[in-house]
Amino acid sequence: LIKETALAIVTGMLESKQTILLEGGVDTKAERDYLREVATMAGYQPLLLWVQTDMATLKQRLTRAPKAERLTKKQFENALARLEAPTAIEHPIVISGKHTFDTQIRTVFGQLVRI
């Protein structure tokens, strides 16, 4: 129900014709394909930015997250099990989650110039 509600909200936001940044909620190719289709039909040119972070860093960050944002071990394992990395067909811009923001933004801008 939460995912359906979130997609309904995003679909409504697309009517604004403003730039929209969506973080999360697109862990599978099917979810990304659906959102890409909805955005394209609304006149947007969707762009996928994939942040890769190694498991040790991810676990370390999760232990420092505020309690309200922490996942149980089972929730984490379930989320990880359903996660699907983007395919080449999706043309993702891939950045490292370990690099500095400056390095990440240079990578993104460098890729945007090529699009």
Side-chain angles (χ1 to χ4, degrees):
L1 180 62
I2 292 173
K3 192 162 284 262
E4 290 82 6
T5 302
L7 283 172
I9 291 169
V10 169
T11 301
M13 290 171 62
L14 292 171
E15 295 174 5
S16 72
K17 303 297 182 199
Q18 299 295 314
T19 299
I20 299 170
L21 174 64
L22 177 64
E23 181 180 355
V26 288
D27 296 334
T28 67
K29 184 173 182 314
E31 292 166 343
R32 293 188 299 272
D33 287 347
Y34 175 77
L35 188 58
R36 189 178 300 106
E37 180 182 332
V38 170
T40 300
M41 288 182 359
Y44 282 81
Q45 183 179 352
L47 172 70
L48 175 60
L49 177 63
W50 188 260
V51 182
Q52 288 183 334
T53 307
D54 64 274
M55 193 60 65
T57 301
L58 179 59
K59 286 180 179 179
Q60 181 184 38
R61 289 177 182 167
L62 287 173
T63 60
R64 292 188 201 155
K67 270 193 173 182
E69 296 175 18
R70 290 186 195 158
L71 301 177
T72 65
K73 183 176 181 179
K74 185 69 173 170
Q75 288 171 320
F76 176 78
E77 289 170 353
N78 288 341
L80 191 59
R82 67 183 301 278
L83 184 65
E84 297 174 7
T87 63
I89 291 173
E90 295 179 271
H91 304 288
I93 294 177
V94 181
I95 61 174
S96 169
K98 292 197 73 134
H99 288 180
T100 65
F101 177 77
D102 288 341
T103 301
Q104 291 172 336
I105 201 70
R106 278 196 304 273
T107 300
V108 171
F109 285 149
Q111 293 294 319
L112 287 175
V113 170
R114 296 179 188 162
I115 295 177

